[in-house]
Amino acid sequence: MSRQPTELPPAKVALSDDEWRQKLTPEEFAVLRQAGTERPGVGEYVDTHTEGVYNCRACDAELFRSTEKFDSHCGWPSFFDPSQSDAVILRPDDSHGMRRVEVLCASCHSHLGHVFTGEGYPTPTDQRYCINSISLTLVPKKV
């Protein structure tokens, strides 16, 4: 796993809340900028098996690839590793009475979801990056 900083490094893409509100829909803003969560099973990429790259919906940075996506049946898209080790930032999240690890876009610090370890999924990393569909944009592989 990546480092878990107490303070985030400077964002490469830094906009004010008003600028993010202009760029994102209210639903996207609630998840990406306010650390919300979409309801399980409703996201457009939950059951997607299209080959391609998943980018941050806020800043378009590459985050995950379809080759690391797997069916966890948890209600959100799941990946066992980011596309590059520095694509995401992990930080402790003790909100809602739980101890979790939040996943943020390294480029713009948007909330993507959480990562869980040791759940027994048959993946190379034993990790499940549980990511909100609304945080992602799939760029299909060109044939």
Side-chain angles (χ1 to χ4, degrees):
M1 277 194 207
S2 281
R3 58 199 161 111
Q4 295 184 16
T6 53
E7 288 188 34
L8 296 175
K12 295 173 192 159
V13 177
L15 302 177
S16 70
D17 277 352
D18 287 339
E19 291 170 315
W20 282 120
R21 283 184 209 284
Q22 290 174 13
K23 180 177 174 69
L24 303 169
T25 68
E27 295 82 10
E28 292 167 348
F29 184 85
V31 172
L32 288 157
R33 304 309 304 170
Q34 297 178 315
T37 301
E38 64 189 348
R39 291 186 333 272
V42 302
E44 79 181 286
Y45 302 127
V46 173
D47 297 317
T48 300
H49 295 93
T50 303
E51 284 187 56
V53 174
Y54 290 87
N55 291 343
C56 176
R57 189 161 299 190
C59 74
D60 206 37
E62 181 178 317
L63 300 171
F64 300 95
R65 295 189 179 151
S66 59
T67 51
E68 282 75 38
K69 188 173 188 288
F70 70 100
D71 292 325
S72 68
H73 308 288
C74 71
W76 293 274
S78 297
F79 303 86
F80 61 81
D81 215 11
S83 66
Q84 300 166 5
S85 63
D86 61 351
V88 299
I89 295 171
L90 305 179
R91 72 173 174 184
D93 177 5
D94 294 328
S95 65
H96 306 291
M98 296 178 271
R99 173 148 289 178
R100 301 177 291 176
V101 177
E102 182 182 20
V103 181
L104 301 169
C105 171
S107 181
C108 69
H109 298 176
S110 286
H111 172 80
L112 304 173
H114 292 87
V115 63
F116 303 93
T117 303
E119 297 177 314
Y121 289 103
T123 62
T125 62
D126 196 27
Q127 294 178 324
R128 176 174 58 96
Y129 284 79
C130 183
I131 306 299
N132 293 288
S133 286
I134 202 166
S135 298
L136 303 171
T137 301
L138 173 60
V139 179
K141 180 180 177 181
K142 294 183 180 170
V143 182

